[in-house]
Amino acid sequence: MSASPSPPTAGRAWHLVSRPHGWPAAEDFDLRPVPVDRPGPGEILVRNLFLSVDPAMRGRMNDVKSYAPPYRVGEPMTGGAVGEVVVSEDPSFAPGDHVVHQLGWREWATLPARQALPVPAGKAPLSAYLGVLGMTGLTAYAGLLEVGGLREGDRVFVSGAAGAVGSQVGQIARLRGAALVVGSAGSAEKVRLLREEYGFDAAFNYKDGPVAEQLAEAAPDGIDLYFDNVGADHLEAAIGALTVHGRAVICGMIAQYNATEPPAAPRNLAQIVAKRLRVEGMLVMDHQNLRPRFIEEVAGWLASGALAYRETRREGIGNALDAFLGMLRGENIGKMVVAL
Ligand code: NAP
């Protein structure tokens, strides 16, 4: 490991300067210098190495009450990051340690040590702790197994299937004995990846035709479990395809994050009654207790080659906004990360 660089007095951080209406525009953000605070007792100073950009950040740009507070206009944004401890004023970390924390969107972060999670040395590339072994991976693992209660023989449909969460959901379903795994994604290249490299039984491009029709073709006898990353017409199609006592895990609804009007679909919610469906929202923050088991099991699958993952990387703090907007547009395969 190289010696820790001595910290500068200032670094750069992405600020929200106005709240987007609909699709975010470059003018809503600014990369500005901020002081690098020296850590006080119980704190650490971290040089960020990888930043996460996530769909949920779009929600935090709105001034609405939700599970996470809105970003404040004129202030730096926050989000997942992996970095190297450069100065530690807490016995739990030493310089050179790697940590995951929530002061992303910036080059340097000063934070209480208790708000950082240690990254084990040498087990996996550091950026994996933002994706396959990090927040999105735990979302897939907890959502499918705990909330969705996946059973052997289930027929599973996952939307957003080539993304960070979705690609892991489909592969875990296969590894845990699903009888059929179907995925939808937004390009021919992504569909090929799902079928040929991730072992999905069927996959389709939702831009090629109505989701309900393509899903009916891929799962002619219906599905038992739907993992929703998209909402809207995907959710409507899944409700239509779910069998009696089917389950839907509502993880995200990215189709409407930039919408300025309420979605037209789903129009078939009455089928929840007729089919006695269980439809349950989930948040990864409720499932932190699973983290040790998740890391152990997923690291095992990665080591044996049973589970594959990709990430899409953008380089440099200056490209973090492009990475975020590109992810919303579907330019990523697997987790979108920014390497600093
Ligand atoms: P991701 O799937 O890696 O990236 C987002 C993807 O969404 C894009 O690559 C794009 O792929 C797809 N997309 C964008 N607009 C779409 C649209 N209108 N219709 C269909 N697909 C669209 O992101 P992620 O981090 O893994 O998150 C996936 C979902 O999980 C999101 O809904 C997110 O909010 C949710 N999530 C929830 C939790 C939780 O705790 N509940 C935690 C993490 C993530 P295509 O090319 O396929 O369109």
Side-chain angles (χ1 to χ4, degrees), residues 40-215:
E43 291 187 331
I44 52 176
L45 172 62
V46 178
R47 181 170 69 100
N48 283 340
L49 301 172
F50 292 96
L51 307 178
S52 182
V53 289
D54 296 280
M57 292 167 172
R58 176 64 190 86
R60 298 188 66 189
M61 292 166 190
N62 300 331
D63 191 14
V64 290
K65 194 164 186 267
S66 188
Y67 61 92
Y71 293 139
R72 293 161 79 129
V73 173
E75 292 193 8
M77 296 184 289
T78 56
V82 176
E84 179 185 339
V85 175
V86 174
V87 180
S88 177
E89 299 295 347
D90 189 272
S92 50
F93 294 110
D97 286 351
H98 290 112
V99 290
V100 182
H101 63 88
Q102 291 303 313
L103 285 184
W105 284 106
R106 68 197 72 194
E107 293 173 299
W108 296 87
T110 305
L111 64 144
R114 66 176 187 287
Q115 291 175 8
L117 285 171
V119 168
K123 271 195 159 179
L126 288 175
S127 56
Y129 291 90
L130 297 177
V132 68
L133 289 171
M135 187 276 287
T136 56
L138 181 57
T139 304
Y141 187 88
L144 183 68
L145 303 180
E146 286 281 303
V147 183
L150 179 79
R151 301 177 201 131
E152 259 186 60
D154 273 347
R155 292 159 294 184
V156 178
F157 172 45
V158 54
S159 54
V165 173
S167 58
Q168 209 157 338
V169 167
Q171 292 183 80
I172 296 174
R174 175 175 54 74
L175 287 165
R176 285 292 195 92
L180 179 75
V181 180
V182 178
S184 65
S187 74
E189 184 195 2
K190 291 181 179 184
V191 167
R192 188 203 61 75
L193 178 77
L194 297 179
R195 287 206 195 114
E196 295 177 13
E197 292 184 36
Y198 291 168
F200 283 56
D201 299 290
F204 59 85
N205 181 348
Y206 66 87
K207 296 173 182 167
D208 283 350
V211 178
E213 285 175 20
Q214 297 198 74
L215 179 57

Side-chain angles (χ1 to χ4, degrees), residues 153-324:
D154 273 347
R155 292 159 294 184
V156 178
F157 172 45
V158 54
S159 54
V165 173
S167 58
Q168 209 157 338
V169 167
Q171 292 183 80
I172 296 174
R174 175 175 54 74
L175 287 165
R176 285 292 195 92
L180 179 75
V181 180
V182 178
S184 65
S187 74
E189 184 195 2
K190 291 181 179 184
V191 167
R192 188 203 61 75
L193 178 77
L194 297 179
R195 287 206 195 114
E196 295 177 13
E197 292 184 36
Y198 291 168
F200 283 56
D201 299 290
F204 59 85
N205 181 348
Y206 66 87
K207 296 173 182 167
D208 283 350
V211 178
E213 285 175 20
Q214 297 198 74
L215 179 57
E217 202 173 309
D221 299 321
I223 57 172
D224 305 296
L225 179 55
Y226 173 50
F227 193 105
D228 193 14
N229 288 314
V230 171
D233 54 344
H234 274 84
L235 179 55
E236 181 172 299
I239 289 172
L242 278 163
T243 49
V244 170
H245 294 302
R247 294 100 71 203
V249 178
I250 311 299
C251 172
M253 295 195 172
I254 197 165
Q256 66 190 60
Y257 293 174
N258 292 308
T260 51
E261 299 294 328
R267 296 161 295 182
N268 57 351
L269 292 177
Q271 288 191 34
I272 295 173
V273 182
K275 294 182 183 174
R276 287 85 88 200
L277 303 180
R278 186 161 65 78
V279 178
E280 187 169 342
M282 71 148 304
L283 284 176
V284 65
M285 61 168 70
D286 295 341
H287 300 279
Q288 294 304 322
N289 61 315
L290 287 181
R291 199 168 181 268
R293 198 175 97 198
F294 149 73
I295 298 252
E296 192 187 331
E297 191 161 18
V298 172
W301 284 329
L302 291 173
S304 70
L307 189 135
Y309 74 99
R310 298 254 187 114
E311 63 179 30
T312 302
R313 241 183 223 204
R314 298 281 157 82
E315 303 286 332
I317 185 88
N319 287 317
L321 180 62
D322 282 347
F324 172 68

